[in-house]
Amino acid sequence: MKRFALIGAAGYIAPRHMRAIKDTGNELVSAYDINDSVGIIDSISPQSEFFTEFERFYDHAWSLKRSQETSLDYVGVCSPNYLHQPHIAAGLRLGCDVICEKPLVPTPADLDELARVECETGRRVFNILQLRHHQAILALKDKVRSGCSEHKYDVDLTYITSRGKWYMESWKGDPRKSFGVATNIGVHFYDMLHFIFGKLQRNVVHYSDNFKAAGYLEYEQARVRWFLSIDARDLPDAVKGKKPTYRSITVNGEEMEFSEGFTDLHTISYQEILADRGFGIDDARHCVETVNTIRSAARSVAQNDEGHPYLRTLAR
């Protein structure tokens, strides 16, 4: 049984980490968040310590380190994006391996700094790249790998996840903290595209604001038009009023809808990490570089057929 601490225990994604810890037969020993709305701990690990000040959390974790029987093995990080790097570094310096939500960090320079801390501490950081475990994605990867086409695949990626007015009032709506829509809701999709289609060769942004973004990516084996949005008005008519989220990939015109199958991916991610098959800094680098470029790129007018079909709706 491994002993875990969790940073960011009141966040949206934290319960998936708590359940993954429990479902893999391990123990949540300590948790921290500035928000005390963490009653879900009672149903998963009621014996866990909980702190609302980071200094007290860190001091407690450091005291546990004095004994091999009580020391922590892993620290999970589910805090706001802009705090990932310091929280990961803190976990590594506590002598723990760290499991962090996406995006791992916003820039390649931050990755380099974490690599230095890994070397200093002898511990490792793992990123939750859960789409690499999704059965539909794995099937597509196998299809691409086994194919013998000399032409690149034509791909449309569409991800719309409706968010209410609260979103812009939270840290997620502040680009200084979330790093924008493409990073906050898109980074694991860019990882997925790299995972399936190989190295990125071209990265163009056609549209970007606080609610949506669109662009064009060209990989070794695919030409990808992408569209991301938190605006419910962008949902397809067939989905509106039925589901708040729409995830779709079309490959050479063939639809692959993958809105289902996400329930257990965090538990699978934890199983793989515990079996020493987790995704580390080198695995995360490609998608971090991709979103870093998207954030800094100037908008370009879509050329030829490189614009996502939803671009024409943005003039309304």
Side-chain angles (χ1 to χ4, degrees):
M1 180 180 288
K2 301 296 184 182
R3 294 166 58 82
F4 281 77
L6 188 63
I7 297 174
Y12 164 79
I13 206 66
R16 297 190 191 181
H17 287 255
M18 294 181 195
R19 292 191 185 100
I21 292 167
K22 181 178 180 179
D23 290 347
T24 52
N26 298 295
E27 180 183 10
L28 179 62
V29 174
S30 178
Y32 157 71
D33 202 293
I34 60 172
N35 191 319
D36 61 8
S37 298
V38 292
I40 191 170
I41 292 177
D42 289 343
S43 64
I44 296 175
S45 185
Q47 78 284 353
S48 173
E49 300 287 347
F50 176 70
F51 304 92
T52 56
E53 293 92 17
F54 185 77
E55 295 83 357
R56 293 180 62 228
F57 164 81
Y58 192 87
D59 185 66
H60 177 258
W62 189 264
S63 69
L64 295 177
K65 186 181 177 183
R66 295 194 177 107
S67 168
Q68 187 173 357
E69 293 182 356
T70 63
S71 62
L72 296 169
D73 298 295
Y74 287 89
V75 172
V77 175
C78 305
S79 52
N81 299 348
Y82 74 109
L83 294 174
H84 283 183
Q85 193 275 333
H87 284 161
I88 292 168
L92 295 172
R93 290 174 178 135
L94 283 168
C96 302
D97 289 337
V98 177
I99 301 173
C100 185
E101 260 302 326
K102 58 82 185 169
L104 189 59
V105 286
T107 69
D110 289 325
L111 289 177
D112 295 339
E113 175 59 23
L114 288 182
R116 282 190 284 269
V117 181
E118 280 190 330
C119 289
E120 292 166 357
T121 61
R123 310 311 301 178
R124 290 197 62 194
V125 55
F126 300 97
N127 199 193
I128 296 292
L129 300 174
Q130 71 268 36
L131 290 184
R132 295 192 183 201
H133 301 302
H134 195 291
Q135 288 303 310
I137 302 305
L138 291 170
L140 178 57
K141 180 178 175 64
D142 288 342
K143 179 180 179 180
V144 170
R145 180 187 297 168
S146 61
C148 56
S149 175
E150 297 180 358
H151 302 286
K152 294 186 178 184
Y153 291 87
D154 287 315
V155 179
D156 282 354
L157 167 66
T158 309
Y159 178 46
I160 303 163
T161 179
S162 308
R163 294 291 185 263
K165 294 181 180 180
W166 67 268
Y167 188 94
M168 298 309 296
E169 295 296 323
S170 75
W171 64 265
K172 295 181 180 183
D174 185 344
R176 298 169 302 174
K177 297 180 177 180
S178 69
F179 308 107
V181 168
T183 299
N184 193 47
I185 71 169
V187 66
H188 53 311
F189 289 105
Y190 303 126
D191 173 72
M192 174 199 71
L193 292 168
H194 162 60
F195 178 64
I196 298 171
F197 298 113
K199 293 182 180 179
L200 181 62
Q201 298 173 330
R202 191 161 163 244
N203 187 345
V204 180
V205 177
H206 296 142
Y207 186 90
S208 180
D209 65 19
N210 290 333
F211 301 93
K212 60 197 79 177
Y216 174 81
L217 297 162
E218 188 160 342
Y219 294 86
E220 290 176 298
Q221 294 181 280
R223 303 168 66 249
V224 181
R225 304 184 299 185
W226 59 269
F227 179 85
L228 307 173
S229 174
I230 60 170
D231 188 345
R233 295 177 300 171
D234 293 321
L235 289 167
D237 290 339
V239 174
K240 285 180 180 177
K242 299 176 183 177
K243 295 181 180 180
T245 299
Y246 177 74
R247 303 177 182 91
S248 175
I249 296 179
T250 61
V251 181
N252 288 350
E254 182 179 345
E255 172 78 15
M256 184 185 76
E257 212 282 339
F258 61 112
S259 289
E260 307 301 328
F262 281 76
T263 305
D264 299 321
L265 295 185
H266 276 73
T267 296
I268 295 171
S269 296
Y270 268 65
Q271 290 170 341
E272 292 297 297
I273 290 167
L274 290 163
D276 200 27
R277 295 190 295 265
F279 302 119
I281 289 174
D282 289 341
D283 299 294
R285 185 172 293 276
H286 191 281
C287 60
V288 169
E289 290 175 343
T290 300
V291 294
N292 187 58
T293 298
I294 288 172
R295 286 196 307 272
S296 59
R299 291 192 198 180
S300 299
V301 176
Q303 301 295 323
N304 302 320
D305 60 347
E306 294 179 357
H308 190 282
Y310 279 40
L311 268 179
R312 62 176 176 267
T313 71
L314 301 184
R316 65 187 179 195

